[in-house]
Amino acid sequence: ACTSNSRLLPLLLFPEGTTKAARCLVKFRTGAFVSGEPVQPLALRFWPEFAWVGSLTRHIFRMLTHWGSMVEVTFLPVYFPNEAEKKDPTLYANNVQAVLAGALQLPAERVS
């Protein structure tokens, strides 16, 4: 991971894997948390009509027919996992999801 080796470049991951619900944060997948390294949570808030709800064709049509789009980006403090989270990627992912959900004022869903 980047913190262990300063020669590595930062990596941007979207642990929810998809935006299939406009008003909740979908359950995080654990792949980004397996290393047990600290993460830099970034909260992205799009207009609700930009959530990928429905077909790909409908989503692309909506994106291409808007004159512009806005996104609010909030950098949250670096999240350092505790020992239990380092051993359990699911616990780590759920706790980071809860931090992001709180920052976005959205419910943290447990299904994906």
Side-chain angles (χ1 to χ4, degrees), residues 45-61:
R45 184 185 303 274
F46 295 89
W47 289 358
E49 61 268 11
F50 276 49
W52 188 340
V53 179
S55 71
L56 176 60
T57 304
R58 182 173 177 236
H59 179 68
I60 291 172
F61 177 78

Side-chain angles (χ1 to χ4, degrees), residues 29-111:
R29 304 195 188 287
T30 59
F33 306 96
V34 171
S35 71
E37 295 288 337
V39 295
Q40 170 71 65
L42 210 77
L44 303 176
R45 184 185 303 274
F46 295 89
W47 289 358
E49 61 268 11
F50 276 49
W52 188 340
V53 179
S55 71
L56 176 60
T57 304
R58 182 173 177 236
H59 179 68
I60 291 172
F61 177 78
R62 284 193 334 219
M63 298 230 9
L64 294 176
T65 57
H66 276 80
W67 287 104
S69 60
M70 291 180 54
V71 62
E72 176 185 321
V73 180
T74 305
F75 286 83
L76 301 174
V78 173
Y79 190 100
F80 293 91
N82 60 35
E83 289 305 315
E85 292 167 329
K86 287 179 183 180
K87 294 176 184 173
D88 184 353
T90 301
L91 175 64
Y92 189 8
N94 289 343
N95 291 345
V96 173
Q97 179 196 23
V99 167
L100 276 166
L104 291 168
Q105 299 177 341
L106 293 172
E109 294 297 315
R110 293 290 170 228
V111 296

